[in-house]
Amino acid sequence: MGSLFLINYLRYDIIFYDQRLQLGLDIGVGSVGWAVLANNEQEQPCRIETMGVRTFATNEVSKTGESTAKARREARGMRRRTRRRQFRKERLIKLLTKSLGITYP
Protein backbone atom coordinates (compact mmCIF):
# COMPACT_ATOMS: atom_id res chain seq x y z
CA MET A 1 0.00 0.00 0.00
CA GLY A 2 1.25 3.42 -0.90
CA SER A 3 0.02 5.44 2.08
CA LEU A 4 -2.15 5.36 5.15
CA PHE A 5 -4.79 7.65 3.67
CA LEU A 6 -5.96 6.09 0.43
CA ILE A 7 -8.04 9.15 -0.44
CA ASN A 8 -5.24 10.45 -2.69
CA TYR A 9 -5.71 7.71 -5.27
CA LEU A 10 -9.40 7.31 -6.10
CA ARG A 11 -12.02 9.11 -4.06
CA TYR A 12 -15.77 8.71 -4.15
CA ASP A 13 -18.14 10.82 -2.05
CA ILE A 14 -21.15 8.85 -0.86
CA ILE A 15 -24.09 9.51 1.46
CA PHE A 16 -25.17 6.59 3.64
CA TYR A 17 -28.03 7.03 6.13
CA ASP A 18 -27.54 10.84 6.15
CA GLN A 19 -23.85 10.39 6.98
CA ARG A 20 -21.33 11.81 4.52
CA LEU A 21 -18.60 9.30 3.76
CA GLN A 22 -15.68 9.01 1.40
CA LEU A 23 -14.53 5.78 -0.19
CA GLY A 24 -10.84 5.65 -1.05
CA LEU A 25 -9.31 2.98 -3.27
CA ASP A 26 -5.66 2.09 -3.84
CA ILE A 27 -5.63 -0.21 -6.85
CA GLY A 28 -2.34 -2.02 -7.28
CA VAL A 29 -1.03 -4.93 -9.31
CA GLY A 30 -1.55 -7.59 -6.68
CA SER A 31 -4.02 -5.93 -4.32
CA VAL A 32 -6.83 -3.44 -3.84
CA GLY A 33 -6.81 -1.39 -0.65
CA TRP A 34 -9.93 0.44 0.47
CA ALA A 35 -11.00 2.74 3.26
CA VAL A 36 -14.29 4.39 4.22
CA LEU A 37 -13.79 7.76 5.91
CA ALA A 38 -16.36 9.80 7.78
CA ASN A 39 -16.51 13.55 7.03
CA ASN A 40 -17.02 16.38 9.50
CA GLU A 41 -19.22 19.46 8.91
CA GLN A 42 -16.52 21.06 6.69
CA GLU A 43 -16.52 17.97 4.44
CA GLN A 44 -13.02 17.02 5.61
CA PRO A 45 -12.18 13.41 6.55
CA CYS A 46 -12.21 13.12 10.34
CA ARG A 47 -12.05 9.38 11.08
CA ILE A 48 -11.65 6.00 9.45
CA GLU A 49 -14.87 4.01 9.59
CA THR A 50 -13.47 0.82 8.14
CA MET A 51 -10.67 -0.29 5.83
CA GLY A 52 -9.23 -3.39 4.29
CA VAL A 53 -7.14 -5.01 1.61
CA ARG A 54 -8.00 -7.63 -0.97
CA THR A 55 -4.91 -9.41 -2.31
CA PHE A 56 -4.69 -11.51 -5.44
CA ALA A 57 -2.51 -14.48 -6.22
CA THR A 58 0.49 -13.50 -8.31
CA ASN A 59 0.59 -14.83 -11.83
CA GLU A 60 3.99 -16.48 -11.95
CA VAL A 61 5.68 -19.79 -12.64
CA SER A 62 5.79 -21.66 -9.32
CA LYS A 63 9.27 -23.19 -9.72
CA THR A 64 11.18 -20.13 -10.93
CA GLY A 65 9.03 -17.24 -9.70
CA GLU A 66 9.15 -15.58 -13.13
CA SER A 67 6.16 -13.84 -14.60
CA THR A 68 4.03 -15.87 -17.00
CA ALA A 69 4.00 -12.82 -19.30
CA LYS A 70 7.80 -12.81 -19.65
CA ALA A 71 7.84 -14.80 -22.93
CA ARG A 72 5.17 -12.54 -24.49
CA ARG A 73 7.00 -9.40 -23.32
CA GLU A 74 10.33 -10.58 -24.76
CA ALA A 75 8.72 -11.53 -28.10
CA ARG A 76 7.01 -8.13 -28.26
CA GLY A 77 10.36 -6.45 -27.58
CA MET A 78 12.00 -8.39 -30.42
CA ARG A 79 9.20 -7.43 -32.82
CA ARG A 80 9.57 -3.77 -31.88
CA ARG A 81 13.37 -3.88 -32.30
CA THR A 82 13.00 -5.49 -35.73
CA ARG A 83 10.36 -2.97 -36.81
CA ARG A 84 12.46 -0.02 -35.60
CA ARG A 85 15.58 -1.31 -37.37
CA GLN A 86 13.60 -1.74 -40.59
CA PHE A 87 12.17 1.77 -40.25
CA ARG A 88 15.66 3.28 -39.71
CA LYS A 89 16.96 1.39 -42.75
CA GLU A 90 14.09 2.62 -44.94
CA ARG A 91 14.56 6.18 -43.69
CA LEU A 92 18.31 6.08 -44.47
CA ILE A 93 17.66 4.74 -47.98
CA LYS A 94 15.08 7.46 -48.58
CA LEU A 95 17.53 10.14 -47.35
CA LEU A 96 20.39 8.87 -49.53
CA THR A 97 18.13 8.59 -52.57
CA LYS A 98 16.78 12.10 -52.08
CA SER A 99 20.03 13.90 -51.28
CA LEU A 100 22.67 11.99 -53.25
CA GLY A 101 20.63 10.31 -55.92
CA ILE A 102 21.86 6.90 -54.85
CA THR A 103 19.41 4.12 -55.66
CA TYR A 104 19.03 0.97 -53.68
CA PRO A 105 18.31 -2.25 -55.54
Side-chain angles (χ1 to χ4, degrees), residues 42-53:
Q42 292 82 27
E43 297 299 323
Q44 297 295 320
C46 62
R47 71 178 183 278
I48 298 173
E49 292 288 327
T50 184
M51 63 181 169
V53 177

Side-chain angles (χ1 to χ4, degrees), residues 30-71:
S31 65
V32 174
W34 56 273
V36 177
L37 306 174
N39 291 343
N40 58 16
E41 294 79 27
Q42 292 82 27
E43 297 299 323
Q44 297 295 320
C46 62
R47 71 178 183 278
I48 298 173
E49 292 288 327
T50 184
M51 63 181 169
V53 177
R54 173 67 186 205
T55 58
F56 309 109
T58 56
N59 195 12
E60 59 187 28
V61 178
S62 59
K63 290 183 180 180
T64 62
E66 292 181 344
S67 171
T68 56
K70 184 179 179 184

Side-chain angles (χ1 to χ4, degrees), residues 54-93:
R54 173 67 186 205
T55 58
F56 309 109
T58 56
N59 195 12
E60 59 187 28
V61 178
S62 59
K63 290 183 180 180
T64 62
E66 292 181 344
S67 171
T68 56
K70 184 179 179 184
R72 290 193 315 270
R73 186 173 52 245
E74 289 174 349
R76 185 171 53 245
M78 280 197 291
R79 287 192 307 270
R80 287 178 178 171
R81 260 191 311 280
T82 304
R83 187 172 48 240
R84 288 172 185 155
R85 186 181 322 128
Q86 181 66 31
F87 178 70
R88 284 193 304 269
K89 185 177 174 182
E90 290 171 359
R91 204 170 57 195
L92 177 64
I93 290 169

